Amino acid sequence: MERITKPLKWFYHEFGVAAIHKAGWNAYLIILARTCRMFAYGTNALILAIFFSALGISDHQIGLFMTLTLFGDVILGTFLTLVADRLGRRKVLLGGSLLMILSGIIFAVFENFWILLLAAIVGVISITGGDFGPFRSIEESMLSQLTTPETRADVLAWYVTTALFGSSLGSELSGRLLRFLQSKDEWTEIDSYHALFWIYAIMGSVNFGLVMLLSDECELRPQNGTYTRLPQDGSAGSTRSGADTHVEASETGLAGYHPSQNWIVRIVKWLSNRLAQISAPTRSVMYKLWFLLAVDSLADGMVPYSLTNYFIDKKFHPLKSTLGDITSFSYFLGAISASFAGPMARKIGLINTMVFTHTPSSAAVLLFPFPPYLWMTAGLLLLRAGLNNMDQAPRAAFIAAVVKPEERTAVMGITSTVRTLAAMTGPTVTGILASSERFWIAFVLAGSCRLAYDFGLYAMFVNMKLHEHENKPEDLPNGHSGRRVPDEEMELESLADSDTDSGSDNSRPEKSEFEAVNLLLPGGGQRIRSRSPRRDAEAES
């Protein structure tokens, strides 16, 4: 029996299943919701560009459609992620699920280019097979809150891994279903494509139901980190008035928007204020990372899986079931490799994992258009997809490690926005190249940009210190978590040590003289710390 349980226990701990269990039921629901959503995206990615080609839409219009769809994702994603912590993260995810359902229904019913374009811009349609829109940044912020620095990489790795399994199943099902429907006399090629979008709408409904089950633990937790000095013989009155003054000042700051101002000015000011809430150290790190992610996303926007499948279809004309098998197996390999991202990140570090796995994938993109045979091209696609997603979980964990908890939702939302903005121009460029019989150039440019991202990431961040703002538990026996020593206690201990070194007779004062008393004002959200009279006297002298 031990021969069976021992490998299972090893897998349970080494591959991060224990980390998900420790994070709680909400983590399971979030991961399952994304898996169902990526199942829908997998069906979508296989046929979207081919669907428009069957409708008689030109390559240039297909690229323009994808660019404008990504632009809609920028507007929707940015707005929803910036207000998610204020309105409620679950409410925003529910709204995104409804938009996903609406988009799926419209694509299942209509064939007019402009109606489909409007549905894609206003709603949620994945034109790349990736998780653009409002979902991912909010879900990653939730998971970062539900986890600790020690378990975060593993949980996020499973968040990516199960999603890729969903995409793999979606692509396989869509290829088989298309072959089955198109073999029937009463079904046209376009009708079979419409049927897949009903699956998309159903998965949006499932996503809505799973979000409904999330608990309050997924919402932003209030931070009680403000300390006010309180004399031992005083009361909380002065502190309370200070809190009231802070509230009044805050309200005065919010009153800066006047209804008479132009709405564009108000939006710009509002966005500026949201960015200003991100601390300067965080911005200094994220500006560099955002630039690199923009370069990488530009490359991904030029050759998303939907356009990659379109390239294979135009060059080799395989059966749709064969194309579905290739796409499905590529997602499957990505899911398997992504499960190793967490253990690898623990062994060699987050940045090393991101760079060493993403670089071969980038090289495969660069070489993709050159093989003359389908099996060689498929091999490069499998290499690209198999390693492409191993950097996702470490990247999210890296962002969480350098960003304060109260800033994560906004930062991850802006990160998603930057990536989507950069990816916007890619499909249009590829559409122009494809219409002029230069489709292959898009893969060369994309591979070069991805390699530049990999080398720049390693050069800028490989030696960066992580988790500077988080409580890092000490390694204690019996699984107990360590307690972070407050700064004042550390300072007091150092004072006691200095007294000992100086040979003072009072080198060992009573511990009670150095203990801090914490008071919590009702409704004020402030913690008040009193100091001992001996400490105050020493400070004055």
Side-chain angles (χ1 to χ4, degrees):
M1 187 67 180
E2 186 178 355
R3 292 182 178 180
I4 299 176
T5 58
K6 188 174 181 180
L8 292 177
K9 289 181 179 179
W10 176 84
F11 180 85
Y12 180 76
H13 292 282
E14 185 67 20
F15 283 84
V17 181
I20 304 177
H21 180 73
K22 185 177 179 180
W25 184 247
N26 288 305
Y28 284 106
L29 291 174
I30 293 171
I31 291 172
L32 181 59
R34 191 183 187 222
T35 302
C36 294
R37 197 167 63 248
M38 293 300 290
F39 177 89
Y41 293 165
T43 63
N44 199 24
L46 178 67
I47 55 95
L48 188 61
I50 301 173
F51 169 64
F52 281 113
S53 179
L55 292 177
I57 297 172
S58 67
D59 292 343
H60 176 68
Q61 284 181 301
I62 293 174
L64 180 64
F65 172 88
M66 293 186 174
T67 292
L68 293 177
T69 301
L70 289 172
F71 176 75
D73 289 338
V74 169
I75 301 300
L76 179 67
T78 303
F79 175 74
L80 292 182
T81 51
L82 287 178
V83 302
D85 288 338
R86 181 178 300 178
L87 297 180
R89 294 171 177 173
R90 290 172 296 173
K91 291 180 181 179
V92 172
L93 292 180
L94 289 174
S97 300
L98 291 176
L99 292 175
M100 182 178 175
I101 296 170
L102 178 63
S103 299
I105 293 174
I106 292 176
F107 270 74
V109 174
F110 294 95
E111 297 178 3
N112 182 273
F113 175 79
W114 301 107
I115 294 177
L116 297 178
L117 178 60
L118 180 63
I121 293 176
V122 178
V124 177
I125 284 287
S126 174
I127 58 98
T128 64
D131 200 0
F132 286 103
F135 294 106
R136 182 169 181 174
S137 57
I138 297 175
E139 288 174 345
E140 286 179 345
S141 182
M142 287 179 172
L143 290 176
S144 296
Q145 178 172 296
L146 294 170
T147 55
T148 64
E150 290 74 22
T151 62
R152 186 171 298 136
D154 287 324
V155 173
L156 291 172
W158 279 107
Y159 175 76
V160 174
T161 299
T162 57
L164 291 171
F165 276 122
S167 297
S168 176
L169 290 174
S171 298
E172 180 65 22
L173 174 66
S174 61
R176 297 296 174 182
L177 186 60
L178 285 174
R179 184 176 182 180
F180 172 75
L181 294 177
Q182 291 176 9
S183 65
K184 294 183 173 296
D185 295 334
E186 62 272 19
W187 284 83
T188 66
E189 181 182 6
I190 295 177
D191 289 338
S192 65
Y193 295 145
H194 280 306
L196 295 183
F197 288 107
W198 284 113
I199 299 176
Y200 189 90
I202 292 172
M203 287 297 104
S205 302
V206 174
N207 193 87
F208 184 91
L210 292 173
V211 173
M212 289 286 292
L213 298 176
L214 295 176
S215 70
D216 293 338
E217 293 181 359
C218 296
E219 304 294 348
L220 179 65
R221 296 168 185 169
Q223 300 293 321
N224 295 324
T226 304
Y227 293 94
T228 304
R229 180 176 176 178
L230 178 66
Q232 215 159 19
D233 57 347
S235 63
S238 60
T239 304
R240 184 65 187 174
S241 62
D244 294 338
T245 303
H246 174 73
V247 171
E248 292 173 2
S250 178
E251 292 175 350
T252 303
L254 289 174
Y257 296 118
H258 300 288
S260 60
Q261 289 181 336
N262 184 279
W263 67 273
I264 297 179
V265 175
R266 293 203 302 270
I267 290 176
V268 171
K269 286 186 177 181
W270 179 76
L271 289 173
S272 299
N273 289 336
R274 296 294 294 179
L275 285 172
Q277 293 175 8
I278 301 174
S279 61
T282 298
R283 290 199 304 269
S284 66
V285 173
M286 293 308 301
Y287 285 151
K288 294 182 288 186
L289 184 60
W290 284 335
F291 172 76
L292 293 175
L293 288 175
V295 174
D296 180 57
S297 298
L298 173 62
D300 289 340
M302 294 180 68
V303 289
Y305 286 119
S306 55
L307 289 178
T308 300
N309 289 329
Y310 185 43
F311 175 82
I312 296 175
D313 187 63
K314 289 187 66 173
K315 185 175 181 179
F316 300 106
H317 307 289
L319 295 173
K320 296 298 184 293
S321 58
T322 302
L323 189 58
D325 291 339
I326 295 173
T327 306
S328 175
F329 193 56
S330 67
Y331 280 128
F332 180 78
L333 284 180
I336 296 297
S337 64
S339 65
F340 290 91
M344 184 178 294
R346 291 198 303 271
K347 300 295 184 183
I348 66 174
L350 297 174
I351 296 297
N352 287 336
T353 301
M354 294 165 65
V355 174
F356 296 159
T357 59
H358 198 259
T359 301
S361 176
S362 302
V365 174
L366 180 66
L367 300 174
F368 184 79
F370 300 114
Y373 303 108
L374 176 61
W375 65 270
M376 297 176 66
T377 303
L380 288 175
L381 178 60
L382 295 179
L383 177 61
R384 168 192 172 181
L387 298 176
N388 187 61
N389 296 288
M390 289 189 72
D391 71 320
Q392 292 186 14
R395 182 176 65 227
F398 175 78
I399 293 175
V402 298
V403 174
K404 297 178 181 178
E406 63 271 19
E407 298 173 347
R408 283 176 186 153
T409 301
V411 167
M412 289 181 176
I414 294 172
T415 301
S416 177
T417 300
V418 169
R419 297 186 67 223
T420 309
L421 276 172
M424 275 175 49
T425 57
T428 299
V429 174
T430 302
I432 295 172
L433 292 172
S435 62
S436 58
E437 303 299 328
R438 293 183 177 86
F439 205 156
W440 64 274
I441 297 179
F443 291 92
V444 175
L445 293 176
S448 301
C449 289
R450 285 166 60 102
L451 288 172
Y453 158 78
D454 295 328
F455 299 146
L457 189 70
Y458 188 83
M460 292 184 183
F461 297 108
V462 67
N463 295 319
M464 175 168 287
K465 295 182 179 179
L466 306 179
H467 309 297
E468 293 295 312
H469 57 274
E470 294 188 272
N471 296 343
K472 292 173 282 189
E474 303 288 343
D475 293 331
L476 295 178
N478 303 323
H480 294 290
S481 60
R483 180 179 66 89
R484 185 178 180 179
V485 182
D487 293 340
E488 188 175 12
E489 291 182 24
M490 295 176 64
E491 181 184 358
L492 292 171
E493 290 175 4
S494 65
L495 286 174
D497 293 340
S498 64
D499 289 344
T500 303
D501 294 338
S502 62
S504 171
D505 294 336
N506 297 326
S507 61
R508 292 294 178 195
E510 291 297 324
K511 184 178 180 182
S512 60
E513 293 185 25
F514 289 100
E515 286 183 341
V517 180
N518 292 330
L519 301 177
L520 182 62
L521 288 179
Q526 285 188 319
R527 293 176 63 187
I528 304 173
R529 173 167 289 172
S530 66
R531 298 185 179 184
S532 66
R534 180 178 183 274
R535 175 71 185 272
D536 290 339
E538 290 177 353
E540 293 175 357
S541 61

